[in-house]
């Protein structure tokens, strides 16, 4: 029961994180492109602030639940006397997940801070530049997230 709960928390966290990136990149950003710079930058700042707070929780839950599940499997194998051998896709998922977390940290604590300073100063070109950097790194994280999902699903089906 606990493993199923952890897996549910893990999957829901990934859905929030990856799904939110898809929404922001392919639906929100193009829709606000028609707005004038001050409105566009302020709106994106407000939306991204809320989203990044949710992703911070989701990322911690995904990492924590993933590590806990790996630990439970490893502990169960060790207690039964079986050699511990994590599936390759789990190792790839964990390593790339930590990379995603690092990139998210850069986005949230460096680039978003730059965006906040630009909004506070009403420096719209600087805000646009910060949003462009955020967009680039979100696309990198989205690509990594899709690779993780694909590798995990392909590994689970074999």
């Amino acid at each position: 029961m606990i493993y199923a709960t952890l897996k549910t928390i893990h999957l829901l966290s990934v859905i929030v994180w990856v799904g939110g990136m898809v929404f922001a990149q392919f639906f929100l950003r193009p829709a606000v492109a028609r707005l004038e710079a001050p409105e566009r930058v302020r709106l994106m700042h407000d939306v991204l602030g809320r989203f990044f707070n949710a992703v911070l929780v989701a990322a911690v839950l995904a990492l924590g639940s993933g590590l806990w599940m790996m630990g439970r499997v490893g502990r169960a194998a060790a207690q039964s006397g079986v050699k511990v051998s994590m599936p390759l896709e789990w190792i790839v998922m964990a390593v790339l997940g930590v990379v995603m977390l690092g990139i998210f940290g850069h986005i949230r604590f460096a680039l978003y801070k730059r965006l906040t300073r630009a909004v506070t100063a009403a420096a719209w070109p600087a805000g646009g530049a910060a949003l462009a950097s955020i967009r680039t790194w979100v696309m990198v994280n989205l690509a990594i997230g899709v690779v993780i999902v694909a590798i995990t699903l392909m590994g689970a089906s074999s």
Side-chain angles (χ1 to χ4, degrees):
M1 178 68 176
I2 197 154
Y3 188 85
T5 301
L6 290 169
K7 191 170 187 178
T8 301
I9 290 168
H10 191 77
L11 289 172
L12 290 174
S13 298
V14 169
I15 289 167
V16 166
W17 192 356
V18 174
M21 289 189 292
V22 168
F23 172 77
Q25 289 293 86
F26 300 113
F27 301 97
L28 177 62
R29 191 181 61 76
V32 301
R34 301 176 308 180
L35 298 175
E36 295 296 322
E39 292 80 24
R40 180 180 66 250
V41 173
R42 271 193 219 107
L43 177 63
M44 289 300 293
H45 175 266
D46 292 348
V47 170
L48 290 175
R50 289 179 176 90
F51 175 59
F52 292 158
N53 288 338
V55 170
L56 188 56
V57 172
V60 168
L61 288 173
L63 181 65
S65 61
L67 291 174
W68 197 345
M69 285 187 291
M70 290 174 80
R72 284 183 60 86
V73 168
R75 187 171 47 250
Q79 287 174 347
S80 67
V82 177
K83 182 178 179 241
V84 178
S85 177
M86 293 292 164
L88 179 60
E89 61 270 13
W90 287 16
I91 295 167
V92 170
M93 181 181 357
V95 169
L96 291 179
V98 170
V99 170
M100 283 183 71
L101 191 58
I103 291 170
F104 171 70
H106 174 65
I107 293 168
R108 173 63 184 88
F109 299 109
L111 300 178
Y112 184 72
K113 186 181 276 189
R114 192 178 305 159
L115 177 61
T116 299
R117 283 192 305 265
V119 168
T120 301
W124 309 123
L131 282 171
S133 294
I134 289 170
R135 180 177 65 242
T136 298
W137 284 105
V138 167
M139 282 303 293
V140 170
N141 247 8
L142 178 56
I144 295 169
V146 169
V147 166
I148 292 171
V149 169
I151 288 171
T152 304
L153 290 175
M154 285 189 270
S157 67
S158 59

